[in-house]
Amino acid sequence: MENDNLKIMHTELMEAFHRIQKVNISSMMEVSKGEFLALQIIGVYQKKYPEREGIYVSEIAGNLRIASSQTSRMLKNLEERELIGRSVDTKDRRNTYVFLTENGKEVCQRVHEKMQVYFEGVLNQMGEERMKELIGLCRELSDVMEKELKEQVKENRKNN
């Protein structure tokens, strides 16, 4: 591929990713994207393990792939808004369980419903076949990017 064409495609790809990332779906939600993801993680965990009192903060941080300190700040905000509750692990008092309150479950449900309506509209405009093709291309692109990154890192280590 010519160097000029490569530069153009690189720029166009980065612009497209940037535009997608800037789509502010938070404007139609009662919580931020990060808060919604945290609430979803907690809710899924509660359904999967109903015998447990909740999920540990460290598990939420791991699922969100953010620092525990950042997770704790987010959870404090959610707790102040009465969307989550906390309880101390009676077996190990150093650990705290986090669980959805009834209010948290209701907010999760409302936001989930709004997201479904939103993505249904997107899907209808794009068409099912084009969306399937886009998803496949994005997965393939991710695989290729990860492979190329590994090769570049390996090459850089070899040269240093």
Side-chain angles (χ1 to χ4, degrees), residues 49-75:
Y49 303 103
E51 71 283 358
R52 291 195 51 195
E53 294 178 49
I55 182 172
Y56 294 132
V57 174
S58 59
E59 293 174 301
I60 298 169
N63 279 291
L64 290 173
R65 295 186 177 136
I66 59 175
S68 289
S69 59
Q70 192 177 357
T71 305
S72 292
R73 280 192 299 276
M74 181 191 325
L75 294 176

Side-chain angles (χ1 to χ4, degrees), residues 114-128:
K114 287 178 185 177
M115 295 293 287
Q116 274 189 290
V117 169
Y118 173 75
F119 281 109
E120 186 177 314
V122 171
L123 177 66
N124 286 338
Q125 290 182 55
M126 286 290 294
E128 189 173 340

